[in-house]
Amino acid sequence: MDRVALRGLKARGHHGVFPREREEGQTFIVDLMLGLDTRPAAEADDLAKTVHYGVVAEEVVAVVEGEPVDLIETLAERIAQQCLKHDGVEEVEVVVHKPDAPITVPFDDVTITITRSRV
């Protein structure tokens, strides 16, 4: 399976379990690895035979900016399911970064990584 990667998609969302997170929002960063067979697109040099990563990026940002959820696990699942709606995408790895998580000790990042497939 071939891979198309999108890294560092940034959007502001209002996800989290604390009222401040819901009210003020924060930046979330998403990395995607889409698994698909790119041979038909390469042979025909045809965008319609692969995944349009620009459209995927816009959809992912819309999910992050959309309906708030408590957990980044839920957010990652919603993103994965959106990606799998695209014809040809057989598998997706989603990493959601929450660099401004409300943690009381110094840290660089909090992430959740999930892998989902059509199976």
Side-chain angles (χ1 to χ4, degrees), residues 12-52:
R12 188 158 187 87
H14 294 265
H15 312 288
V17 296
F18 297 113
R20 183 175 176 187
E21 293 178 290
R22 291 293 183 106
E23 293 164 10
E24 296 178 14
Q26 60 193 292
T27 299
F28 293 84
I29 302 165
V30 178
D31 302 323
L32 300 174
M33 186 72 69
L34 306 171
L36 64 152
D37 183 357
T38 63
R39 288 176 292 192
E43 289 170 3
D45 197 28
D46 185 354
L47 177 61
K49 296 182 186 239
T50 189
V51 64
H52 191 310

Side-chain angles (χ1 to χ4, degrees), residues 93-109:
E93 179 183 276
V94 177
V95 181
V96 175
H97 301 257
K98 189 175 179 180
D100 299 321
I103 297 176
T104 60
V105 297
F107 75 102
D108 289 329
D109 199 5

Side-chain angles (χ1 to χ4, degrees), residues 33-116:
M33 186 72 69
L34 306 171
L36 64 152
D37 183 357
T38 63
R39 288 176 292 192
E43 289 170 3
D45 197 28
D46 185 354
L47 177 61
K49 296 182 186 239
T50 189
V51 64
H52 191 310
Y53 50 80
V55 170
V56 172
E58 291 170 358
E59 292 172 350
V60 168
V61 166
V63 170
V64 174
E65 292 175 343
E67 182 183 346
V69 296
D70 288 343
L71 304 177
I72 59 173
E73 292 86 343
T74 307
L75 182 60
E77 185 66 34
R78 287 183 177 181
I79 292 168
Q81 294 308 314
Q82 181 62 46
C83 292
L84 289 171
K85 290 180 181 178
H86 288 268
D87 291 338
V89 176
E90 296 296 326
E91 182 178 273
V92 61
E93 179 183 276
V94 177
V95 181
V96 175
H97 301 257
K98 189 175 179 180
D100 299 321
I103 297 176
T104 60
V105 297
F107 75 102
D108 289 329
D109 199 5
V110 173
T111 67
I112 176 75
T113 302
I114 66 170
T115 303
R116 299 293 183 265

